[in-house]
Amino acid sequence: MKKLSCLILFFSLASSSLAVDPSNQPIYESFLKCFSNQTCTAPDKLCDVVLPQSSASFTPTLRAYIRNARYNTSTSPKPLIVIAARSEAHVQATVLCTKSLNFQLKTRSGGHDYDGLSYISNRPYFVLDMSYLRNITVDMSDDGGSAWVGAGATLGEVYYNIWQNSKSHGFPAGVCPTVGAGGHISGGGYGNMIRKYGLSVDYVTDAKIVDVNGRILDRKSMGEDLFWAIGGGGGASFGVILAFKIKLVPVPPTVTVFRVEKTLEENALDMVHKWQFVAPKTSPDLFMRLLMQPKTLNTTQTVRASVVALFLGRQSDLLSLMGKEFPELGLRTENCTEMTWIQSVMWWANNDNATLIKPEILLDRAPDTASFLKRKSDYVETEISKEGLSFLFTKMMETGKLGLVFNPYGGIMCQMPTTKTPFPHRKRLFKVQHSMNWKDAGIEAENSFMEKTRSFYSYMAPFVTKNPRHTYLNYRDLDIGINSHGPNSYREAEVYGRKYFGENFDRLVNVKTSVDPENFFRDEQSVPTKPSSMR
């Protein structure tokens, strides 16, 4: 990277229109001076980019992409500065200036980080907000269809831009349209085409990243080790992801979706038990997510199990397949709806009238919307017995609000080596998400619901992977370990790192040590550098 510098007459901030919290003024002045010099931009032209806590734009910008209300309170830690980057040069300057001041940098794309690692810290820190770097360029003439996707783009924007250019292509990524592409893809990324096509990162062919020295690197200049690491190891440990180049995948002109619900009184136990033997092994064209949650119906406690599905084909073929493989589901014609792939994207985003609405709804970022939540995850490699499921259903009813989501693997997933990307879980039967939401604000409610979530997590232990108990990086969970970045940093990181990355943890540590030896890019669960005794 050519050094970003020029001669700028830096007027005294005391006479500037940029108001600053007096306690943070020296930090802000130093950062703004550095940022101004690095970007060759006068300070008064950076009012909407470098935001101190006293800026009128600070709170709206910070709150816009906080999705967990637990971290959106008056007592939640706040960054000293938010940098609302509008260009790649702004990202480069942010890295260099934050490093020169020895502060922690948190990078946020969509804010769906469940435990807030992209915008919360207990140490003095800055937040780099990537939401303006959302450009998407689709090229249907390139290798059957490709797209460059800015890290700040949402998945909904990705799908919409693909649809604008081709009605016969899609991309295998998440079903929530407001999720940021940068974090989703760098953590592996998956959606309802995972069994057909694999992970989102399996279709990344290039990337742009700002490294610890402020250089912009692509795949060729960063090298294959770093390119491998940011494809499932989480970009925030290695630099700042600017954009990914993705390869598009073909989708049929007609797909079919359905939802089938059963309670315990309607033989949900039999359906859930059989699901384990069918969902991971059926046609790769079929993805059947299973959701379970306790319900009270007519004063009677029960569990409702819902199968929500996408089939890459016609309704008639789906009904024939389910009649043979999964009669316990009881799928009928009236449960099914045929539609286009882009309509199925909207349907999975909880728009039941997906065939009647326009895809522009996918562009709605829904800023400043958050709910109180806690998420945890597990992996299952052996089917759970009916007795085990019955035990879990009982504990769900005792716990109250907690829900479970089973996401089947199989298909192409189990055909790929576990070292292809840092994501090590391809051979599992299915992934489990523990989902707890609540509406009551305050520490008392939070403590109660967090305790219930953790208790149920302990009940799940006999039925999931062990030594280590694996979990999914994009479902960040601080309960499984935190790095204090002291003398025991590597050992602390190994606890959560083996759970997220399995055998791939060691290669990630080697890459980290090579590209960021001073551990500038760090958070509570980042990949560590090797201790000096191991180098």
Side-chain angles (χ1 to χ4, degrees), residues 16-79:
S16 169
S17 60
L18 300 172
V20 188
D21 180 344
S23 64
N24 295 330
Q25 183 170 340
I27 298 168
Y28 171 65
E29 287 182 359
S30 297
F31 184 87
L32 185 60
K33 181 177 181 179
C34 176
F35 197 96
S36 175
N37 286 334
Q38 288 290 342
T39 59
C40 305
T41 306
D44 61 353
K45 302 297 184 183
L46 295 170
C47 300
D48 60 345
V49 177
V50 180
L51 310 176
Q53 291 182 350
S54 57
S55 167
S57 299
F58 176 88
T59 297
T61 303
L62 179 63
R63 286 175 56 101
Y65 300 108
I66 293 178
R67 302 300 188 182
N68 190 340
R70 289 166 49 210
Y71 305 115
N72 202 11
T73 70
S74 60
T75 58
S76 299
K78 305 290 190 300

Side-chain angles (χ1 to χ4, degrees), residues 196-371:
K196 178 72 171 182
Y197 291 117
L199 302 173
S200 305
V201 76
D202 294 334
Y203 295 85
V204 172
T205 60
D206 204 346
K208 294 175 71 176
I209 185 173
V210 174
D211 75 354
V212 70
N213 297 311
R215 301 175 300 175
I216 295 178
L217 306 176
D218 61 8
R219 181 175 184 171
K220 182 177 180 180
S221 56
M222 78 175 75
E224 288 302 302
D225 281 341
L226 180 53
F227 182 73
W228 173 86
I230 62 174
S237 290
F238 305 96
V240 179
I241 303 294
L242 293 173
F244 284 112
K245 184 181 181 184
I246 60 173
K247 179 176 174 56
L248 309 186
V249 301
V251 294
T254 301
V255 304
T256 306
V257 299
F258 72 80
R259 176 189 294 268
V260 172
E261 298 178 346
K262 292 183 183 293
T263 64
L264 292 179
E265 294 72 25
E266 298 167 321
N267 297 320
L269 178 60
D270 291 340
M271 182 184 76
V272 171
H273 183 253
K274 183 64 175 291
W275 177 94
Q276 301 175 100
F277 295 86
V278 178
K281 300 172 184 177
T282 189
S283 166
D285 290 325
L286 177 59
F287 177 85
M288 292 188 289
R289 170 175 280 180
L290 177 63
L291 303 94
M292 291 153 286
Q293 60 185 140
K295 288 288 182 182
T296 301
L297 300 176
N298 299 323
T299 71
T300 301
Q301 272 195 311
T302 188
V303 170
R304 183 179 68 193
S306 306
V307 177
V308 183
L310 170 70
F311 180 65
L312 299 172
R314 308 289 307 211
Q315 171 184 299
S316 57
D317 295 330
L318 172 62
L319 287 167
S320 175
L321 180 68
M322 291 293 91
K324 295 174 183 176
E325 295 186 355
F326 200 1
E328 294 84 354
L329 181 63
L331 185 65
R332 300 188 299 270
T333 301
E334 54 265 33
N335 302 129
C336 303
T337 306
E338 291 187 339
M339 55 182 63
T340 64
W341 180 79
I342 196 67
Q343 288 171 339
S344 78
V345 170
M346 296 185 286
W347 186 87
W348 274 80
N350 298 317
N351 295 290
D352 291 336
N353 59 342
T355 59
L356 304 175
I357 57 179
K358 295 182 178 180
E360 280 74 16
I361 194 173
L362 297 172
L363 302 178
D364 183 1
R365 287 177 158 249
D368 200 11
T369 54
S371 59

